[in-house]
């Protein structure tokens, strides 16, 4: 069939297998163009490995460090003529590329929050990999079923303490409007912490440690975002920000529990990029379109793969093994985004941006093209007029 993008709000309900594979290959090529990383991981487990930062982490581990990788994700295969989700196509492409280079790569598609997937991952590690020396935790999920009680929790993106309104970019209509968001209830806050906080990261590390599949001196990293003041009411000071505070709490707890192995847990604060998760955050997409224009002009613009390549080469596996941290004990990959000159430029543009000035003040086109690329559309060298088979299986 010929596959075209069908965008519905902040998702595209179709995806292109050849385009997704080409996207993965571009990321692999980028990593291979960088200097080789010495002393990188040998066996990495990536939880949330199919898109965004998790996929880029997996590529950095496999193709930058020659690591064997086990990827966990929750994706939908193609069925009855419907295309698979992009993470499915990405992961098939990644496994094929890794195997072609003689690297072990295997995947588990299912609910990472469940005990079942944790058990399956441990079995896979025991039978195929031995011990894991890097665990990346990169889940972004709207809901979580508690593995013990069966209760379902939903994460929300809401301000805390008071209702909040701010500018919002409607990417379908290419307009900037005012959007109002109701203040979170206590239940919204606790549910978001339950889904996007650190509890499940702790459960993963506990299960891996109890099964004796963590190597001495292993590292584990989870991802965080802080961002500029214009997004704080909805991000840092909102429900998702509370979940990130819990992630930092979990980091401390995991550090304690890994002490006996000489292991370490880190939280890396990453740059704002276009992913399926970030495009759903109200107001953040407008900030990203402004940020991209400024960073492309002033320098330092990065996507997921440049960020994760730099995380591995300049933070996790350099400096004689000491990971550079800020005063709060966090890895700062958002250092270039948060530079004063970049943020001053954002603050200058923010009050002036409106529907009439979108083209002049934002990188709307760049944002839209990156959004479509998440689904495999608009990738150089792909013939979108060619018939393509939507059913793609893992070999
Ligand atoms: P994403 O939507 O691209 O990826 C989410 C991943 O989680 C996918 O692999 C998906 O399959 C997997 N997943 C979701 N629910 C799952 C489940 N129940 N079981 C198994 N896998 C599941 O998201 P992203 O933007 O790459 O976000 C990853 C992390 O990075 C998040 O913690 C996010 O807060 C953080 N982060 C993102 C940005 C950004 O701008 N996108 C910036 C800084 C930090």
């Amino acid at each position: 069939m010929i596959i075209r993008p069908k965008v519905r709000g902040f998702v595209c309900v179709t995806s292109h297998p050849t385009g997704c594979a080409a996207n993965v290959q571009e990321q692999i090529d980028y990593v291979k163009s960088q200097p080789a990383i010495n002393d990188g991981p040998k066996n990495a487990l990536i939880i949330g490995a199919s898109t965004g930062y998790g996929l880029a982490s997996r590529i950095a581990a496999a193709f930058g460090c020659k690591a064997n990788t086990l990827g966990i994700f929750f994706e939908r295969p193609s069925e009855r003529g419907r295309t698979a989700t992009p993470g499915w196509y990405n992961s098939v492409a990644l496994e094929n590329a890794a195997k072609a280079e003689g690297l072990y790569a295997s995947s588990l598609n299912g609910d990472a929050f469940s005990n079942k997937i944790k058990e399956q991952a441990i079995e896979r590690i025991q039978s195929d990999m031995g011990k894991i020396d890097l665990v990346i935790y990169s889940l972004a999920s709207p809901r979580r079923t508690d593995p013990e009680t069966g209760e379902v929790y939903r994460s929300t993106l809401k301000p805390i303490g008071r209702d909040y309104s701010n500018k919002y970019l409607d990417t379908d209509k290419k307009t900037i409007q005012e959007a109002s968001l109701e203040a979170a209830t206590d239940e919204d806050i606790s549910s978001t912490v339950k889904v996007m906080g650190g509890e499940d990261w702790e459960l993963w590390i506990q299960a891996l440690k109890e099964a004796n599949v963590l190597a001495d001196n292993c590292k584990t990293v989870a991802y965080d975002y802080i961002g500029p003041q214009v997004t704080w009411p909805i991000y840092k000071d909102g429900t998702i920000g509370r979940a990130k505070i819990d992630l930092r709490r979990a980091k401390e707890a995991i550090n304690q529990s890994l002490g006996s192995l000489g292991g370490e847990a880190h939280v890396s604060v990453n740059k704002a990029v276009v992913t399926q998760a970030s495009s759903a955050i109200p107001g953040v997409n407008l900030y990203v379109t402004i940020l991209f224009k400024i960073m492309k002009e002033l320098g330092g613009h990065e996507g997921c793969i440049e960020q994760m390549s730099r995380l591995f080469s300049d933070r996790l596996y350099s400096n004689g093994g000491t990971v550079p941290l800020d005063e709060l004990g966090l890895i700062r990959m958002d250092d270039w985004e948060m530079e004063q000159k970049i943020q001053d430029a954002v603050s200058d543009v923010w009050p002036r941006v409106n529907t009439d000035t979108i083209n002049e003040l934002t990188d709307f086109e760049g944002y839209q093209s990156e959004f479509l690329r998440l689904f495999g559309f608009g990738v150089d060298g792909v013939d979108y007029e060619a018939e393509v088979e939507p059913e793609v299986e893992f070999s």
Side-chain angles (χ1 to χ4, degrees):
M1 67 197 255
I2 295 190
I3 305 170
R4 309 259 181 234
K6 282 192 197 152
V7 178
R8 304 278 180 271
F10 51 76
V11 288
C12 178
V13 294
T14 52
S15 61
H16 200 284
T18 321
C20 288
N23 226 340
V24 167
Q25 189 59 47
E26 273 185 22
Q27 296 192 48
I28 293 171
D29 292 343
Y30 174 80
V31 165
K32 286 176 153 183
S33 73
Q34 300 300 302
I37 295 170
N38 299 317
D39 305 325
K42 296 191 172 42
N43 287 313
L45 168 66
I46 295 96
I47 302 157
S50 52
T51 55
Y53 273 127
L55 172 66
S57 308
R58 189 176 191 186
I59 292 172
F63 297 92
C65 310
K66 304 244 170 281
N68 302 316
T69 58
L70 172 59
I72 315 280
F73 46 77
F74 209 4
E75 301 293 344
R76 198 196 62 236
S78 161
E79 49 188 11
R80 293 186 302 261
R82 200 171 157 204
T83 60
T85 49
W88 178 273
Y89 294 138
N90 291 341
S91 302
V92 170
L94 182 139
E95 276 200 15
N96 289 342
K99 285 172 188 165
E101 298 210 4
L103 296 168
Y104 172 88
S106 143
S107 304
L108 288 169
N109 186 32
D111 182 7
F113 296 124
S114 68
N115 291 334
K116 189 173 136 208
I117 280 285
K118 292 181 177 74
E119 285 158 16
Q120 287 178 357
I122 287 166
E123 276 169 28
R124 187 76 59 93
I125 293 164
Q126 284 169 333
S127 66
D128 296 1
M129 298 172 89
K131 292 197 179 193
I132 293 293
D133 53 5
L134 175 66
V135 181
I136 297 286
Y137 189 84
S138 185
L139 290 187
S141 175
R143 76 187 70 78
R144 172 179 172 213
T145 304
D146 184 296
E148 299 311 321
T149 65
E151 199 172 330
V152 178
Y153 295 88
R154 286 173 206 290
S155 67
T156 54
L157 293 160
K158 290 190 181 176
I160 293 177
R162 61 186 170 89
D163 298 352
Y164 168 72
S165 56
N166 204 347
K167 287 179 183 181
Y168 154 79
L169 173 65
D170 184 328
T171 44
D172 282 350
K173 298 194 186 115
K174 200 178 173 184
T175 56
I176 292 176
Q177 298 156 9
E178 194 81 357
S180 296
L181 291 164
E182 255 180 44
T185 62
D186 288 346
E187 195 186 330
D188 288 330
I189 300 170
S190 58
S191 297
T192 307
V193 169
K194 194 85 182 166
V195 180
M196 287 298 289
E199 186 179 86
D200 182 60
W201 185 25
E202 286 181 274
L203 290 174
W204 266 102
I205 300 299
Q206 190 186 331
L208 295 165
K209 191 179 167 203
E210 279 171 14
N212 198 23
V213 292
L214 289 178
D216 286 347
N217 306 318
C218 61
K219 288 184 168 74
T220 182
V221 188
Y223 298 143
D224 193 350
Y225 184 64
I226 295 177
Q229 258 173 329
V230 284
T231 64
W232 282 4
I234 188 64
Y235 203 98
K236 173 178 158 292
D237 297 336
T239 47
I240 183 73
R242 288 291 175 90
K244 295 301 185 187
I245 290 171
D246 189 65
L247 198 69
R248 296 172 211 152
R249 173 206 57 76
K251 175 193 73 133
E252 301 299 335
I254 294 171
N255 259 325
Q256 293 276 321
S257 95
L258 290 183
S260 55
L261 291 171
E264 45 189 284
H266 292 288
V267 164
S268 172
V269 183
N270 296 344
K271 172 186 183 282
V273 289
V274 183
T275 66
Q276 291 181 62
S278 71
S279 48
I281 307 175
V284 168
N285 62 358
L286 176 57
Y287 166 69
V288 168
T289 58
I290 297 171
L291 179 74
F292 278 19
K293 182 170 171 66
I294 292 167
M295 292 191 81
K296 282 178 186 175
E297 279 169 13
L298 297 185
H301 178 70
E302 292 178 310
C304 289
I305 195 62
E306 291 85 0
Q307 277 268 295
M308 294 300 95
S309 174
R310 194 156 67 90
L311 171 69
F312 277 60
S313 63
D314 288 6
R315 304 292 198 274
L316 294 178
Y317 300 103
S318 61
N319 310 299
T322 306
V323 178
L325 304 174
D326 72 1
E327 63 286 359
L328 297 174
L330 305 170
I331 299 175
R332 300 304 295 259
M333 296 311 303
D334 63 343
D335 48 353
W336 297 351
E337 170 184 357
M338 299 315 290
E339 266 182 33
Q340 198 61 45
K341 66 173 184 201
I342 303 289
Q343 288 305 320
D344 286 348
V346 172
S347 305
D348 173 54
V349 164
W350 188 267
R352 296 189 287 127
V353 71
N354 56 43
T355 302
D356 296 333
T357 56
I358 289 180
N359 285 341
E360 178 199 341
L361 297 178
T362 78
D363 184 23
F364 183 80
E365 302 303 328
Y367 179 89
Q368 287 290 77
S369 97
E370 281 208 33
F371 175 78
L372 286 173
R373 284 171 63 93
L374 297 177
F375 302 88
F377 297 106
V379 183
D380 284 348
V382 176
D383 179 1
Y384 290 98
E385 300 307 320
E387 290 280 336
V388 58
E389 171 55 58
E391 276 185 37
V392 175
E393 295 302 329
F394 287 87
S395 53

